[in-house]
Amino acid sequence: MPETRETVLVLDFGGQYAQLIARRVRELNVYCEIRPCHTPPEQLAGCKGIIFTGGPGSVYQPDAPLCSPQVFQLGVPVLGICYGAQVMAQLLGGQVAPTAAPEFGETPVSFSKESGLFAGIPDSICWMSHNDAVAQLPQGFVSSAASQGCPVAAMEDPERKFYAVQFHPEVGHTEHGDAMLRNFLYHICGCRGEWEMGSFTQQTVEALKERLKGKRVLCGLSGGVDSSVAAMLVHRAIGRDLTCIFVDHGLLRKDEGDLVEEVFTREFDMNIIRVNAGPRFLAKLAGVTEPEQKRKIIGEEFIRVFEEESAKLGKMDLLCQGTIYPDVVESGTGQAAVIKSHHNVGGLPEDIGFEGLVEPLRDLFKDEVRRVGLELGIPQQLVWRQPFPGPGLAVRIIGEITAQRVKTLQEADAIFREEVANFGLEREIGQYFAVLTGTKSVGVMGDGRSYGETIALRAVNTTDFMTADWVHLPYELLGKASNRIVNQVAGVTRVVYDVTSKPPATIEWE
Ligand code: XMP
């Protein structure tokens, strides 16, 4: 744990909301990190407060995830949420049992007027999701909130600064959830609220100046927000001692390669080598139709190009990467079944001969990275760039990838994006793009029969990319985009809209 930074720790019991809790805390200007629930207590010492997450199990089951009871001896305030509340009750001598009826969703809750956690908060709606609840309070605790189905909707021992809520203050449906978290952080843990992106930027640049003095740093720039912001921070610190290699694999969206080059070389005078490797990638991909094969080829070729270019630069000391906090958390939790191998193109081999890595965004969530990007003056267009898969348009072209098909998709995709922007929906939609489906269909153009490609449009909203809903785009937008695509993009005779959510579909078609 950073020794000097005021930090609150989230202890993860397997709930789906660990990252959301940490983000909420940071939005309230307190730095927060996530730790597994079995972290040894001595590694938690020194923090300002600990928050237990929810979890899928029952605390009385044999393999239930629990933390060490010594966590309660650290002298640090604790807030238990849902399953975390039950962990607190169980470990401190109370009892947890199934409720008469489970509570799910928006539930009216009344609060004790004496509770510091609920100071200034009226009785209101909270988000519940539980089968179990605290049936008997541990010694020293009082009940501090109740709902119809849950007499201990919250409990507390203000003396020891232990607080627990059966509902989820971190989700938007809990009307005063933010105020509760604020009370916990500021009034109970005594935080001062020092976590701000302005000071992060300044402190990080200063620290990088110190660490990178006399060093040459290499960075793989993709134009995505993470690598762009990481590179800009390092650039601020060491200027042209940072060299960026931008491998343009020719599978970017229309004009995107030029935009990246323009912004970073012209506006910021960054030392960038753009490698126009499109033809080389196309040659390797010729005749390949299998999606995983495409990803593999692109991932490997990317590394090869990068290695060749970096070899020309002579000895570089350090490699800069745009790793962000969710990458760090997720790589520590083991993986579910591999549905697609998400090669992070830009992910580089470890044995490339650097003395170390520079990862200035390792502690930040995506929205924080964006705020730093804006601080650094990176244009909105890049800061708000929607996620784009490393293998680029290759996984949106079903069947063989040819220069002509790439161009067709780029044109159709650009029109769709333009229309989404015309309707003012750019920031409302998580991800939206066109797909070249590989299905041919008959059309009529003028008086003649035509036989051309089918474009699918896809737009999804998602919080974590694990699940996603298709977006109910206005018919006028779809109509306009469809009309323009069939009229302006040669070889396209039909446009369809993808109305499948994830699961069962994935976001990308391949
Ligand atoms: P799926 O299609 O699995 O996508 O629902 C989830 C998110 O991941 C992106 N994606 C990729 N990103 N390399 C990447 O860097 C890949 O091979 C890849 N495949 C999918 C996708 O755009 C979405 O944001």
Side-chain angles (χ1 to χ4, degrees):
M1 198 181 65
E3 315 74 47
T4 48
R5 206 186 258 165
E6 175 180 270
T7 301
V8 162
L9 294 176
V10 168
L11 219 51
D12 184 2
F13 289 90
Q16 45 179 330
Y17 294 133
Q19 292 203 25
L20 182 60
I21 298 170
R23 274 173 46 211
R24 290 276 179 265
V25 171
R26 291 198 191 180
E27 280 162 16
L28 293 165
N29 300 108
V30 174
Y31 183 69
C32 184
E33 288 187 2
I34 302 166
R35 296 281 186 274
C37 61
H38 48 75
T39 304
E42 61 275 14
Q43 290 179 22
L44 308 174
C47 67
K48 297 290 281 184
I50 298 174
I51 302 179
F52 292 180
T53 70
S58 283
V59 287
Y60 45 78
Q61 277 167 353
D63 295 331
L66 294 172
C67 61
S68 159
Q70 282 160 18
V71 170
F72 298 103
Q73 257 114 62
L74 294 170
V76 171
V78 181
L79 171 65
I81 295 177
C82 195
Y83 177 88
Q86 297 159 18
V87 169
M88 185 183 287
Q90 175 94 349
L91 291 179
L92 293 175
Q95 240 174 35
V96 176
T99 47
E103 282 180 310
F104 288 104
E106 294 179 355
T107 309
V109 177
S110 55
F111 303 109
S112 149
K113 304 297 166 239
E114 268 88 68
S115 168
L117 189 64
F118 305 123
I121 296 172
D123 296 350
S124 47
I125 298 295
C126 295
W127 184 260
M128 291 278 195
S129 175
H130 68 115
N131 294 299
D132 292 342
V134 176
Q136 195 190 314
L137 292 166
Q139 195 132 42
F141 277 76
V142 291
S143 171
S144 52
S147 67
Q148 196 172 14
C150 188
V152 187
M155 64 174 193
E156 63 187 47
D157 176 350
E159 193 94 349
R160 291 186 285 173
K161 301 195 175 179
F162 296 154
Y163 294 79
V165 292
Q166 186 51 66
F167 50 85
H168 289 270
E170 72 276 23
V171 306
H173 304 281
T174 295
E175 280 177 341
H176 297 280
D178 268 359
M180 296 172 197
L181 291 173
R182 179 182 290 280
N183 282 341
F184 179 68
L185 298 171
Y186 287 86
H187 300 143
I188 295 164
C189 302
C191 293
R192 292 183 298 273
E194 295 160 348
W195 179 247
E196 280 167 18
M197 287 305 104
S199 47
F200 170 87
T201 306
Q202 209 182 344
Q203 283 164 13
T204 304
V205 171
E206 289 310 313
L208 287 172
K209 270 186 188 158
E210 193 59 31
R211 178 180 168 205
L212 303 179
K213 211 178 280 170
K215 303 274 184 201
R216 292 181 76 207
V217 180
L218 184 64
C219 178
L221 192 70
S222 69
V225 58
D226 302 341
S227 68
S228 301
V229 175
M232 273 297 287
L233 281 168
V234 175
H235 175 70
R236 275 276 170 97
I238 59 169
R240 292 185 72 86
D241 283 339
L242 168 74
T243 306
C244 295
I245 296 181
F246 170 35
V247 178
D248 183 347
H249 51 30
L251 298 158
L252 296 171
R253 286 171 288 202
K254 190 182 174 190
D255 299 333
E256 204 163 41
D258 296 342
L259 172 75
V260 172
E261 187 180 355
E262 170 83 22
V263 165
F264 290 106
T265 52
R266 303 262 156 76
E267 283 186 36
F268 297 113
D269 190 32
M270 242 191 218
N271 191 0
I272 294 188
I273 298 166
R274 175 176 177 181
V275 192
N276 288 317
R280 183 171 164 168
F281 278 83
L282 280 182
K284 285 275 172 189
L285 288 164
V288 177
T289 56
E290 210 281 311
E292 281 300 281
Q293 189 68 13
K294 288 180 186 172
R295 280 197 171 74
K296 200 160 169 281
I297 291 171
I298 293 171
E300 283 173 8
E301 198 59 16
F302 186 93
I303 290 171
R304 212 152 292 147
V305 174
F306 194 91
E307 278 174 345
E308 283 172 22
E309 287 304 318
S310 58
K312 294 181 196 162
L313 296 170
K315 169 101 180 92
M316 302 299 272
D317 302 301
L318 294 146
L319 180 70
C320 167
Q321 287 193 327
T323 316
I324 68 171
Y325 192 54
D327 304 333
V328 177
V329 175
E330 273 147 31
S331 62
T333 59
Q335 275 288 331
V338 174
I339 310 289
K340 296 176 189 181
S341 56
H342 283 199
H343 277 294
N344 214 354
V345 171
L348 298 167
E350 280 153 29
D351 60 358
I352 204 164
F354 297 98
E355 67 187 53
L357 291 176
V358 186
E359 298 179 308
L361 308 176
R362 249 187 106 78
D363 290 342
L364 301 195
F365 283 110
K366 193 83 170 187
D367 45 345
E368 295 173 321
V369 172
R370 291 208 164 97
R371 281 184 359 238
V372 172
L374 292 173
E375 288 267 334
L376 291 165
I378 299 176
Q380 302 263 355
Q381 228 176 327
L382 286 179
V383 167
W384 289 103
R385 183 189 194 248
Q386 51 167 316
F388 187 63
L393 299 181
V395 293
R396 296 177 181 169
I397 295 177
I398 316 304
E400 195 184 355
I401 298 163
T402 61
Q404 181 54 51
R405 297 191 81 209
V406 172
K407 182 149 187 348
T408 303
L409 180 57
Q410 279 177 334
E411 296 297 332
D413 184 71
I415 290 174
F416 183 40
R417 284 188 291 129
E418 229 173 85
E419 289 306 329
V420 168
N422 287 343
F423 278 73
L425 294 175
E426 276 168 306
R427 299 257 184 97
E428 311 293 312
I429 308 173
Q431 215 173 346
Y432 53 99
F433 51 86
V435 178
L436 197 57
T437 64
T439 300
K440 292 259 188 160
S441 82
V442 175
V444 46
M445 292 214 173
D447 287 334
R449 177 188 190 272
S450 60
Y451 189 55
E453 294 263 21
T454 305
I455 285 281
L457 304 179
R458 179 129 174 90
V460 295
N461 271 332
T462 173
T463 44
D464 53 8
F465 297 91
M466 303 297 286
T467 61
D469 293 323
W470 64 275
V471 178
H472 294 222
L473 288 180
Y475 284 165
E476 301 78 55
L477 191 169
L478 289 169
K480 193 88 191 292
S482 161
N483 200 285
R484 281 189 59 199
I485 291 170
V486 285
N487 280 299
Q488 295 172 16
V489 185
V492 177
T493 44
R494 194 172 295 257
V495 176
V496 297
Y497 187 51
D498 181 349
V499 290
T500 336
S501 288
K502 173 182 180 176
T506 53
I507 295 175
E508 302 290 348
W509 273 41
E510 285 197 334

